[in-house]
Amino acid sequence: MATIQIQQLAKTYAQDVHAVKGIDLDIADGEFIVLVGPSGCGKSTLLRMIAGLETITSGQLHIGDRQVNHLEPSERDIAMVFQNYALYPHMTVYNNLAYGLKNRGYRQAEIEERVQKTAKMLEIEPFLARKPKALSGGQRQRVAMGRALVREPAAFLLDEPLSNLDAKLRVQMRVEIKQLQKRLHTTTLYVTHDQLEALTLADRLVVMNQGRVEQVGSPMEVYKRP
Ligand code: ADP
Ligand code: ADP
């Protein structure tokens, strides 16, 4: 669990593409923030900077009381889930979950315990010995979530994690994500195009446009018509 403090954060890609233009945002410990805005407004870039997958052009990023601008992704205590799940196709579900822990030098017994606990929580225990291609879309999505949660990160970043699922599964997973986040109280930043997801998941909604934050408020405040 941790706060995330974003101060004047900016990203300029090559050829002078100003993707993020000085964002300020204070995220509370355990808060669920949903990030919305038109395609190309800089949502993914912002998430990737927080995760450490993209360099920060200027500004400050604090996770908890640490300034993390120059830390490697593995040193940030953050986990990210992508739209396309990005599972390792040649590994079993078990090893997809265990991989990040092995890399971080966890002991075998600790890995075993955490993988089992996470698999139980997400109800993917029956599939631990399978490879991703032998899973349904919803099961893969759970494995992707599990791979992030198994590390018990301070913060959780999700970039349209449900967009590849059919409508029925999307509703089900949305409810499950909310329950899980409430239970674990993990600080969460969630990107979506889906207004219903935004309404039901967000403690606070952040509306981005052209690399800037346009509006911040409760879902009711943001979506109510004047
Ligand atoms: P969103 O997630 O809101 O759709 P992105 O963060 O993906 O927006 O993109 C913001 C802007 O940055 C867009 O104009 C996009 O074309 C540009 N962009 C994203 N990634 C790169 C990159 N690796 N190199 C150059 N431009 C990029
Ligand atoms: P690989 O697919 O890389 O050959 P395995 O799937 O055989 O690797 O498993 C490697 C390790 O992961 C083993 O030491 C085993 O203890 C553990 N493991 C794999 N699958 C399971 C499972 N379903 N339940 C518990 N532990 C498992």
Side-chain angles (χ1 to χ4, degrees):
M1 281 177 272
T3 58
I4 301 176
Q5 262 190 320
I6 299 167
Q7 293 163 310
Q8 281 301 303
L9 209 63
K11 175 70 186 184
T12 303
Y13 289 110
Q15 273 87 47
D16 262 9
V17 178
H18 299 284
V20 172
K21 303 171 185 166
I23 283 189
D24 290 297
L25 188 63
D26 268 343
I27 305 176
D29 193 13
E31 191 172 27
F32 200 126
I33 296 277
V34 174
L35 197 55
V36 295
S39 183
C41 73
K43 302 182 297 295
S44 294
T45 300
L46 178 60
L47 250 59
R48 292 169 59 80
M49 280 196 284
I50 297 170
L53 302 173
E54 204 69 75
T55 58
I56 291 169
T57 304
S58 60
Q60 300 278 332
L61 176 63
H62 286 81
I63 297 170
D65 49 19
R66 285 196 306 167
Q67 203 256 40
V68 301
N69 281 46
H70 301 291
L71 292 187
E72 292 296 316
S74 61
E75 297 170 320
R76 293 190 182 202
D77 201 12
I78 272 191
M80 185 155 170
V81 174
F82 302 91
Q83 186 171 13
N84 56 10
Y85 315 141
L87 300 176
Y88 303 114
H90 58 290
M91 287 186 203
T92 60
V93 169
Y94 182 96
N95 283 327
N96 264 280
L97 295 182
Y99 185 75
L101 299 177
K102 283 181 185 162
N103 270 354
R104 287 173 177 77
Y106 283 83
R107 286 176 308 110
Q108 186 63 35
E110 170 84 11
I111 293 173
E112 185 83 31
E113 189 188 317
R114 284 207 192 193
V115 169
Q116 293 295 347
K117 190 174 88 176
T118 304
K120 191 165 179 211
M121 183 166 70
L122 292 166
E123 296 174 6
I124 51 175
E125 287 163 299
F127 319 123
L128 280 173
R130 290 196 203 170
K131 300 220 168 131
K133 66 174 183 306
L135 301 176
S136 71
Q139 290 162 351
R140 276 181 215 170
Q141 204 275 345
R142 280 159 207 264
V143 176
M145 299 267 300
R147 208 173 50 176
L149 288 172
V150 77
R151 286 171 34 209
E152 301 177 4
F156 204 22
L157 309 177
L158 301 116
D159 196 353
E160 304 204 39
L162 306 185
S163 60
N164 285 336
L165 302 180
D166 65 46
K168 190 166 158 239
L169 207 51
R170 220 158 46 223
V171 173
Q172 186 192 332
M173 289 302 303
R174 189 178 77 216
V175 172
E176 287 176 18
I177 286 174
K178 184 67 178 178
Q179 286 170 348
L180 199 63
Q181 195 271 345
K182 263 193 181 158
R183 182 143 55 91
L184 301 176
H185 200 72
T186 306
T187 309
T188 301
L189 197 50
Y190 187 105
V191 170
T192 185
H193 272 109
D194 184 325
Q195 185 163 325
L196 207 58
E197 271 178 36
L199 268 169
T200 47
L201 290 173
D203 293 325
R204 273 195 304 160
L205 208 54
V206 173
V207 184
M208 277 182 71
N209 196 12
Q210 296 188 2
R212 298 183 202 281
V213 169
E214 201 170 62
Q215 206 182 350
V216 181
S218 71
M220 292 310 285
E221 284 165 353
V222 170
Y223 284 128
K224 84 167 177 242
R225 297 281 173 268

